[in-house]
Amino acid sequence: MNKNDEGLSPIGSWKKGQPWNPVEKIIMERRSVRRFKKDPVPPDLIRRVLEAARFAPSTGNCQPWKFLVITNPDVIAEMEKDATRIVKLIMFFIGYTMNTGIVRLIKKFIAKTFTMRIMPSELAAAPYLAMAQAAAGESVFYQNAPVVIILLKDKRGVGDPSIDIGVVGQNIILAAHSLGLGACWMGFTQLLTFYPRKWKKKLGLSKYPYEFGNSICLGYPASDVNHEVAREVQLVEWYEGGMNSMPRIDRQGE
Amino acid sequence: MGYLTFFEKIKIPTYDNPEHMNAGVIEIDAAKCKQCGFCITACAGSCLVTDLCNRNDLMTGKFKGKTGVPRVKKTANGQVLMCVACGVCGAACPHGAITQKSPFMPKYRLKKLCQAKEMTFPKRY
């Protein structure tokens, strides 16, 4: 990302076709950083990032969150080890893309008959294949990041507290990128809630009123990945006519 | 935890069947590739591999030096690419060697995730 702000529009005004303003630039060019430098992040910089989280909007201003900041490399390495252990156990039963022949058929039966019906979203294609790669020892979960921020969700939150966790996480990530850090969502921390006692006790991952929400890896990026990418065109319905007219389908992005 | 309707339950997509998946397609220009390994470490699903190393080797520092030209890994039955076309490898490549050819278009209950096939860069309206 460019360190200077030349060629950027001022905040608070718009004319057609103008260049990005600094906020849009961070949003458009933000990519998940999955390779971090080993340098520790100064605590005050983490506090600055968390200040953006404190002022995130939430339903009914209920602020249904609690932040855990983990900066000790030993703890992160232990989390990595245990998450890998759990994912290996899960994929031993349902990881059918890793095998061929009769083993694949048995695992596929277990996966499609039981687990994917109970946890369809958790075992959708993208996380499933990523877990298969981790179980095969070709991936790491926490990317050797110097900081992991865990977002705990208050179950008593107004409406759907999961949405507020998403909003607060987006604030954290955009603030981190604008301050020269890199960040990456790491929902696989949920695997630690399947580990008997250890992490639930240490981190309070499911201690009332809190439960695990999501987590974010943070650190100085080791390589520059922040560039624009191509995304699918969205079909947006515009209701411009009266009550009897059909919406106009607008191809957003073309 | 989610809830599946009856028809979704009998039509859960098989992740290594090419008819159900339509994985993302990327093209890696071997002439432009300088084999730095940035794309391999940036890949969210760790599905970029070379003949010499995989992502874990690079992240843990087991492997150093030129990685070789990467390719997208396939599932064990060799029929489906593991790419979901997030585009991070193309953004991470300092030499512009990676271009996306097609988005990730799974079928059945995951189909609603994608509305149009075309992919465009952010447009300054």
Side-chain angles (χ1 to χ4, degrees):
Chain A
M1 203 181 299
N2 286 332
K3 291 285 186 286
N4 55 11
D5 58 353
E6 286 166 21
L8 293 179
S9 301
I11 287 177
S13 67
W14 174 79
K15 56 181 187 294
K16 194 170 164 50
Q18 72 174 13
W20 306 128
N21 66 35
V23 178
E24 284 178 313
K25 186 181 164 66
I26 293 294
I27 292 174
M28 299 296 175
E29 296 192 348
R30 180 209 63 82
R31 301 270 76 84
S32 294
V33 173
R34 292 194 172 80
R35 192 190 204 185
F36 297 100
K37 285 180 187 161
K38 286 224 170 79
D39 316 351
V41 182
D44 276 345
L45 181 48
I46 302 173
R47 287 195 189 100
R48 174 118 184 178
V49 169
L50 287 176
E51 205 63 2
R54 196 159 69 94
F55 289 91
S58 60
T59 319
N61 193 24
C62 63
Q63 303 170 26
W65 48 61
K66 180 178 178 179
F67 310 115
L68 313 178
V69 179
I70 301 167
T71 53
N72 187 307
D74 296 339
V75 176
I76 295 173
E78 186 87 7
M79 284 161 68
E80 174 81 47
K81 205 175 82 186
D82 287 345
T84 310
R85 209 176 266 173
I86 291 286
V87 88
K88 275 184 179 162
L89 181 71
I90 294 172
M91 283 296 150
F92 177 78
F93 291 105
I94 65 167
Y96 65 85
T97 59
M98 301 159 69
N99 299 91
T100 52
I102 187 79
V103 181
R104 173 179 171 271
L105 286 178
I106 295 169
K107 286 185 178 182
K108 189 178 141 192
F109 176 78
I110 299 172
K112 287 179 78 167
T113 318
F114 304 109
T115 50
M116 282 181 189
R117 292 186 184 186
I118 301 168
M119 307 176 92
S121 309
E122 285 87 343
L123 295 173
Y128 179 92
L129 293 176
M131 276 159 63
Q133 284 294 83
E138 296 198 9
S139 177
V140 285
F141 284 125
Y142 293 99
Q143 338 286 357
N144 303 334
V147 182
V148 176
I149 298 178
I150 294 182
L151 313 174
L152 296 183
K153 172 174 80 178
D154 191 333
K155 281 189 245 185
R156 304 165 302 172
V158 183
D160 186 355
S162 304
I163 291 176
D164 298 326
I165 291 295
V167 171
V168 79
Q170 181 74 339
N171 263 20
I172 290 177
I173 282 184
L174 292 180
H177 276 255
S178 72
L179 292 166
L181 293 168
C184 178
W185 284 99
M186 195 42 61
F188 287 119
T189 306
Q190 197 178 14
L191 292 164
L192 296 179
T193 61
F194 299 130
Y195 205 92
R197 286 181 62 84
K198 184 176 176 184
W199 293 104
K200 284 185 191 168
K201 201 175 168 190
K202 182 164 176 60
L203 302 175
L205 289 182
S206 52
K207 191 179 176 191
Y208 186 84
Y210 295 105
E211 66 181 8
F212 173 72
N214 218 316
S215 69
I216 293 171
C217 295
L218 213 63
Y220 290 107
S223 55
D224 184 18
V225 298
N226 288 323
H227 300 287
E228 292 176 1
V229 296
R231 282 276 168 92
E232 288 87 343
V233 169
Q234 292 283 321
L235 307 182
V236 183
E237 294 181 3
W238 286 60
Y239 290 85
E240 293 166 320
M243 289 300 289
N244 295 325
S245 63
M246 295 294 285
R248 180 172 64 84
I249 307 287
D250 189 72
R251 294 179 71 84
Q252 177 76 24
E254 271 188 350
Chain B
M1 301 284 167
Y3 174 76
L4 294 184
T5 62
F6 177 73
F7 285 106
E8 283 175 339
K9 275 180 192 164
I10 53 176
K11 283 201 160 185
I12 292 174
T14 306
Y15 296 153
D16 54 3
N17 184 341
E19 287 178 13
H20 297 190
M21 286 304 279
N22 279 339
V25 177
I26 58 167
E27 194 177 76
I28 299 171
D29 190 341
K32 282 187 191 169
C33 179
K34 298 281 191 295
Q35 311 185 4
C36 58
F38 282 8
C39 54
I40 300 173
T41 53
C43 181
S46 315
C47 62
L48 281 174
V49 291
T50 68
D51 297 332
L52 301 171
C53 66
N54 58 38
R55 181 158 182 264
N56 200 18
D57 298 338
L58 290 175
M59 296 296 287
T60 51
K62 263 188 235 164
F63 184 90
K64 288 199 171 74
K66 286 205 168 187
T67 56
V69 180
R71 60 185 158 79
V72 180
K73 198 181 170 181
K74 290 183 173 179
T75 52
N77 62 358
Q79 295 194 15
V80 177
L81 296 167
M82 285 176 157
C83 179
V84 297
C86 63
V88 174
C89 51
C93 182
H95 315 294
I98 302 177
T99 46
Q100 276 181 60
K101 290 291 167 194
S102 136
F104 178 52
M105 302 262 288
K107 299 246 174 86
Y108 296 158
R109 71 175 196 88
L110 299 175
K111 192 176 179 181
K112 59 179 181 266
L113 291 175
C114 26
Q115 300 169 9
K117 229 179 180 180
E118 297 78 17
M119 300 183 84
T120 56
F121 281 90
K123 182 176 170 184
R124 291 161 179 80
Y125 279 96

